[in-house]
Amino acid sequence: MNIYLDNAATTALDARVLDAMLPYLQSEYGNPSSIHGPGRTARLAIEESRKKVATLLDCAPAEIFFTSCGTESTNTILNGAVDSLGCSHIITSPIEHHATLFTAENIAKIKGVALLFVKHHNDGTIDLDDFQRCLSQCPQHKTLVSFMHANNEIGTINQIELIGEYCAAHGAFFHSDMVQTVGHKSISLKQTPVHFASASAHKFHGPKGTGIMYINGSVKILPYIIGGGQERNMRAGTENVAGIVGFASALAFALDDMEAENQHTAILKDYCWKQLLETFPAISLNGNLSEALPRVLNILMPLSEKAEMLQMALDIKGIAISGGSACSSGALGGSHVINHLSKKAGVPLRISFSKWNTTEDVDQLLKAMKEIME
Ligand code: PLP
């Protein structure tokens, strides 16, 4: 049995996306910086992909830059805000992905920037009163705010429109890590008050190792990776042409399928939560059910030896779920998100669905959990 319920960590590549990518891994292997025919073919594929991504996210093609992943995008943006825009203060959240959290902490340590952490409600949403208090402690026009659109561990969605308005009123720059929402929510970057955003193809059935950063046309930052003049001098290094084509293709398919997928995963999540609650009445929910990604369910199992072994025991039975984010799940010590939000001792389990999961998968999960826990 092989059941994959860890789609917030990464997703399977869509076969249609692979088809779109294959020519650029095989016959069309020119370097996009070369001026000859094969080079021009590769260049055209990149620029067509950029236009496609910009259309799908409702922004200008010149505002999209391809990178190697969401983490690189966030590193570039946070460092750029400090080095190029003179930000002396960063406001972020203790439950951000480590791509943001560790980058901000590193910048604070190395560059002497002040770092402020906002408070949260118990469900993981940002306490907007506390955010305004943080903003009032920071200089106008010299502050970067970085909040994720949706949390990768608990799925909670932040009100980035409102947060962006508060930032604008204070003259603060706003970056949103949209790695969990691009490809899963309809997003108009033109209508969303962000200066910067990050996204990653492998979260919506695209290839791993391809990200984008969105930089609003009103701001200019310096590159983080230095070398050649690729990506209009914003990101050096020979482009991952197949990956870029894969990003654009995956985004188009993901948005086509989005409504049906969201309806489908919401049904699975609801079914799974109700079954879990019936079987293990002492569990609780991490996050909330209303303002959250339909595909992410995070529960807290009461602490016990068996619960602590659950993720591993499920793995032995061929069922993949997560104990936290993909990056931290291998490490003991728990999830920084759950540790921050929950006062209760327990074992967090993240079950995350895709359009390819079925109620049968949930039934198998429940059956296996019962066997392990009894
Ligand atoms: N931000 C969030 C919210 C994520 O879920 C992830 C991936 O786990 C990242 C950033 C990092 O993205 P990437 O794997 O493309 O570096």
Side-chain angles (χ1 to χ4, degrees):
M1 178 168 54
N2 262 321
I3 296 177
Y4 186 78
L5 291 167
D6 198 15
N7 290 281
T10 196
T11 54
L13 187 69
D14 189 316
R16 298 169 294 178
V17 175
L18 178 63
D19 284 345
M21 293 170 67
L22 274 176
Y24 301 95
L25 291 165
Q26 293 174 321
S27 49
E28 309 296 351
Y29 51 79
N31 185 324
S33 296
S34 303
I35 55 169
H36 49 56
R40 290 199 306 277
T41 302
R43 162 72 39 220
L44 188 65
I46 293 176
E47 295 316 321
E48 288 301 320
S49 300
R50 195 187 315 280
K51 273 193 226 154
K52 195 162 165 179
V53 171
T55 305
L56 293 167
L57 298 179
D58 192 24
C59 65
E63 294 174 316
I64 296 292
F65 300 90
F66 291 107
T67 64
S68 72
C69 58
T71 302
E72 185 197 318
S73 302
T74 296
N75 269 263
T76 305
I77 290 162
L78 266 55
N79 278 284
V82 171
D83 298 341
S84 310
L85 303 175
C87 288
S88 57
H89 288 61
I90 297 178
I91 302 175
T92 189
S93 138
I95 64 167
E96 289 290 310
H97 189 275
H98 286 146
T100 298
L101 201 52
F102 288 171
T103 305
E105 284 173 357
N106 196 50
I107 291 173
K109 197 163 107 193
I110 292 174
K111 299 181 182 172
V113 164
L115 190 55
L116 288 84
F117 290 107
V118 77
K119 287 188 183 142
H120 282 86
H121 300 295
N122 289 342
D123 68 356
T125 50
I126 287 167
D127 177 337
L128 293 174
D129 291 335
D130 190 63
F131 172 47
Q132 283 188 296
R133 188 192 57 79
C134 287
L135 269 179
S136 70
Q137 291 178 4
C138 294
Q140 296 211 340
H141 310 289
K142 295 284 171 213
T143 299
L144 174 74
V145 174
S146 185
F147 292 143
M148 66 209 318
H149 194 181
N151 187 282
N152 51 302
E153 294 199 28
I154 55 176
T156 309
I157 296 171
N158 281 317
Q159 296 180 61
I160 57 167
E161 289 77 15
L162 199 52
I163 290 166
E165 280 171 30
Y166 291 165
C167 289
H170 196 77
F173 298 100
F174 182 26
H175 164 242
S176 187
D177 170 348
M178 295 189 176
V179 167
Q180 289 290 340
T181 50
V182 164
H184 296 283
K185 270 177 86 67
S186 163
I187 292 171
S188 160
L189 288 168
K190 209 180 275 170
Q191 303 296 329
T192 312
V194 290
H195 297 91
F196 305 104
S198 325
S200 186
H202 73 100
K203 304 291 183 179
F204 49 88
H205 303 290
K208 291 169 186 59
T210 314
I212 55 159
M213 53 184 173
Y214 161 78
I215 304 180
N216 184 273
S218 65
V219 282
K220 291 266 166 301
I221 58 169
L222 290 169
Y224 187 61
I225 294 186
I226 313 287
Q230 291 90 350
E231 289 301 284
R232 286 159 293 128
N233 285 318
M234 269 311 297
R235 199 272 178 185
T238 302
E239 299 90 334
N240 174 1
V241 184
I244 289 170
V245 170
F247 188 109
S249 164
L251 185 59
F253 289 127
L255 295 179
D256 276 352
D257 296 350
M258 182 184 68
E259 223 165 286
E261 169 164 16
N262 285 345
Q263 273 174 20
H264 177 68
T265 54
I267 290 168
L268 291 181
K269 176 174 168 175
D270 183 59
Y271 177 65
C272 188
W273 168 239
K274 286 182 178 149
Q275 294 291 314
L276 282 167
L277 207 51
E278 206 178 295
T279 318
F280 307 105
I283 62 167
S284 54
L285 182 82
N286 292 316
N288 71 48
L289 283 176
S290 54
E291 295 304 313
L293 297 171
R295 71 185 192 287
V296 177
L297 175 64
N298 196 314
I299 60 163
L300 199 70
M301 295 287 285
L303 197 59
S304 72
E305 256 176 52
K306 281 183 179 170
E308 280 186 307
M309 297 307 290
L310 195 52
Q311 191 196 338
M312 226 180 287
L314 285 168
D315 184 34
I316 291 166
K317 286 176 179 283
I319 301 177
I321 64 163
S322 166
S325 75
C327 319
S328 59
S329 59
L332 294 173
S335 139
H336 71 288
V337 176
I338 308 300
N339 288 346
H340 185 82
L341 294 176
S342 179
K343 308 278 170 285
K344 288 191 245 171
V347 178
L349 295 177
R350 182 183 67 183
I351 302 154
S352 48
F353 306 99
S354 84
K355 55 189 166 197
W356 292 313
N357 288 120
T358 60
T359 46
E360 161 79 351
D361 293 343
V362 178
D363 291 340
Q364 293 293 342
L365 170 72
L366 262 293
K367 183 169 169 279
M369 283 177 76
K370 273 189 227 164
E371 286 165 8
I372 296 162
M373 295 299 291
E374 68 190 12

